[in-house]
Amino acid sequence: MRSDQLILRDMFRRALERFGDRAAITAPDGSLSYEELLAKATVLAGALQARGIEAGDRVVFLLRNSVHYVIADVAVMLVGACKVPLNDMLAADDVGYMIGHSDAKAVIAHTSFLSTLAAIESTVESVGVRLAVIDTDIPLPGFETVSFESDGGRYSADTRIDGDDPGLIIYTGGTTGRPKGVYHTQQSLAVNFMSHLINAEIAHDEHLLICSPLPHSAQQFVLAALLRGARVTIETGFDADRVLQLIAEERVTWMFMVPTMIYRLLDAPALAGTDTSSLRTIVYGASPITSARLQQALQRFGAVFLQIYGQTEIPNLVTTLSKADHEQAKYQTSCGQPVIFCDVVIRDEEGSAVEIGNAGEITVRSFYTLERYHADPERTDAAYVGEYLRTGDIGYQAPTGHIYLVDRAKDMIISGGMNVYSTEVENVIQEVDGVGQVVVIGVPDDDWGEAVTAFVIPNGTALDGQAVITHCKSQLAKYKVPKRVELVTEIPLTAYGKPDKKALRARFWSDEARQIN
């Protein structure tokens, strides 16, 4: 009987079997061929099944960039379970919330997260299956150490998996309250991987270099590359000199970067003497690139740049700006044209489509928009206009289909390619003694795109801006911590008495062509 559903288990099993002894993954903790990756993932899949993990069960990843991350990724797909990847920079409180909110049945964690997990011990203990991957000499109390050779469980591929089963719950910040769990199905992820193969120009002989955190956009590129038989090198983080060394010595052909990383490469003294001729594609996204830096990059690297625009709710690919378009000045400030799997409509505040050239909210219809926000039907209903997902981004569309971003409807900052919801930062700052009122915005920054900046009215007591930053460092992921805190006597208000962020932002953005970087 023919199945009419796309299942991740079958797609990835076939691909890994097909490419056999070809190099698959290289990372600081080792290298694997395709057959070795499948063998180790099958062992872990059997271990998960032996401990009661079934199709649709949530498996939380608290793992750093490594071959073990990819092994776990494939293992979860073999079981038909649902991956819940957590950013390794998250504060312990956020980790605990996401474990509980996702209804996690298993946690797979590197031992180096001992302090984070110890801080949420009661939450972690409520999860039935706890597996540790060793990357330090100190064990994780209450966790079983994973063996990737033999773990006493025989993997069964007979489990029924449906296309509508969850394949991924990934958390994104909320404009108010706790983060939202973005719920994607097996089938929507399968189409999304195909979109990556087509639109990100990943060829079978590609050598990809990934330096950004795997729980974010990078994971989709890595997994799509495995379907193609490409080779992937994963770094634990970004270092410009190391990247240039790898490009030259390993003949890297394809990279995914955020603009800040591109700036670091351009500023690296070693760039002048580095052979980068192997590069065919540099995909960038998560935030727009400045025009001056783009010109510099094109001059140095050539016509290899491909811009992507997407969201966690629509993984990575709503539009792409082609390599050819990068060579035309009129398109260089665009985020590109809709990809073949997406329809885009620009709408006014009433939800009606606007005429070409008029600005409005960008809405998207696709096979791979989120199924729903996990356990949050109210937010799910608010996210859609009919079949179209509301992005919260403001833009306009040219007659050629090119989309130009001009602002964000959502109260969000993108700093170094990472999403920061200002309300979350404001709530943390409000906890500091001496803070009367606080407003957080993003201001233009040549390096980060937007710098998280806090404006604080003291409540009469002595207040030190550095104390605010220190408190934020203890409560927030590093990229969410304000780069600057300004102590002020007043904050502009709207006619309704609310902080007027647009007026505050105007001080910094009035000379900018668009109101986001």
Side-chain angles (χ1 to χ4, degrees), residues 275-350:
D275 179 5
T276 60
S277 61
S278 62
L279 287 172
R280 300 192 295 232
T281 304
I282 297 177
V283 174
Y284 69 95
S287 62
I289 194 169
T290 65
S291 295
R293 289 299 228 174
L294 178 57
Q295 295 304 320
Q296 188 180 356
L298 287 167
Q299 184 175 5
R300 176 57 183 83
F301 294 103
V304 299
F305 288 92
L306 182 70
Q307 183 184 163
I308 60 171
Y309 164 66
Q311 295 183 335
T312 307
E313 289 86 348
I314 325 163
N316 292 343
L317 294 168
V318 173
T319 66
T320 58
L321 186 67
S322 71
K323 295 171 185 176
D325 281 349
H326 273 84
E327 299 186 88
Q328 299 190 56
K330 64 182 178 179
Y331 296 136
Q332 288 176 355
T333 55
S334 166
C335 62
Q337 298 166 300
V339 301
I340 59 173
F341 289 107
C342 290
D343 291 321
V344 172
V345 173
I346 312 295
R347 300 180 188 274
D348 60 23
E349 292 182 355
E350 284 72 45

Side-chain angles (χ1 to χ4, degrees), residues 89-95 97-98 171-180 411-413 418-431 438-440 452 471-472 475-482 501:
M89 294 184 284
L90 288 172
D93 181 61
D94 283 334
V95 172
Y97 171 77
M98 293 172 188
Y171 281 85
T172 184
T175 53
T176 59
R178 288 290 198 173
K180 307 185 295 289
D411 194 8
M412 186 175 72
I413 302 159
M418 305 293 281
N419 292 353
V420 180
Y421 283 83
S422 59
T423 305
E424 179 184 7
V425 183
E426 289 164 353
N427 289 340
V428 169
I429 293 175
Q430 200 69 58
E431 298 170 355
V438 57
V439 170
V440 172
V452 181
H471 178 70
C472 288
Q475 300 294 316
L476 295 169
K478 184 178 179 180
Y479 63 89
K480 299 178 183 179
V481 175
K501 290 189 178 182

Side-chain angles (χ1 to χ4, degrees), residues 20-168:
D21 61 358
R22 291 180 68 167
I25 302 292
T26 298
D29 60 333
S31 296
L32 296 174
S33 68
Y34 275 83
E35 60 187 0
E36 289 170 335
L37 173 57
L38 180 58
K40 292 180 182 297
T42 301
V43 169
L44 180 56
L48 290 169
Q49 288 180 332
R51 289 158 177 79
I53 301 303
E54 301 175 341
D57 286 346
R58 280 59 154 166
V59 180
V60 166
F61 286 12
L62 195 56
L63 298 167
R64 306 188 191 280
N65 281 19
S66 59
V67 293
H68 294 111
Y69 191 107
V70 183
I71 293 168
D73 224 336
V74 176
V76 165
M77 289 189 287
L78 291 176
V79 174
C82 173
K83 177 178 64 173
V84 185
L86 303 190
N87 185 335
D88 62 6
M89 294 184 284
L90 288 172
D93 181 61
D94 283 334
V95 172
Y97 171 77
M98 293 172 188
I99 289 174
H101 183 263
S102 65
D103 305 314
K105 296 291 181 66
V107 174
I108 305 175
H110 269 127
T111 55
S112 55
F113 287 102
L114 173 63
S115 60
T116 298
L117 294 167
I120 52 171
E121 183 178 4
S122 60
T123 299
V124 175
E125 287 180 345
S126 68
V127 180
V129 179
R130 301 184 295 276
L131 301 177
V133 178
I134 296 174
D135 68 339
T136 63
D137 295 333
I138 303 173
L140 280 177
F143 278 68
E144 297 180 74
T145 300
V146 174
S147 167
F148 293 99
E149 307 304 326
S150 177
D151 207 44
R154 184 178 295 276
Y155 168 67
S156 171
D158 295 333
T159 305
R160 177 172 175 78
I161 304 170
D162 291 324
D164 291 333
D165 285 345
L168 173 70

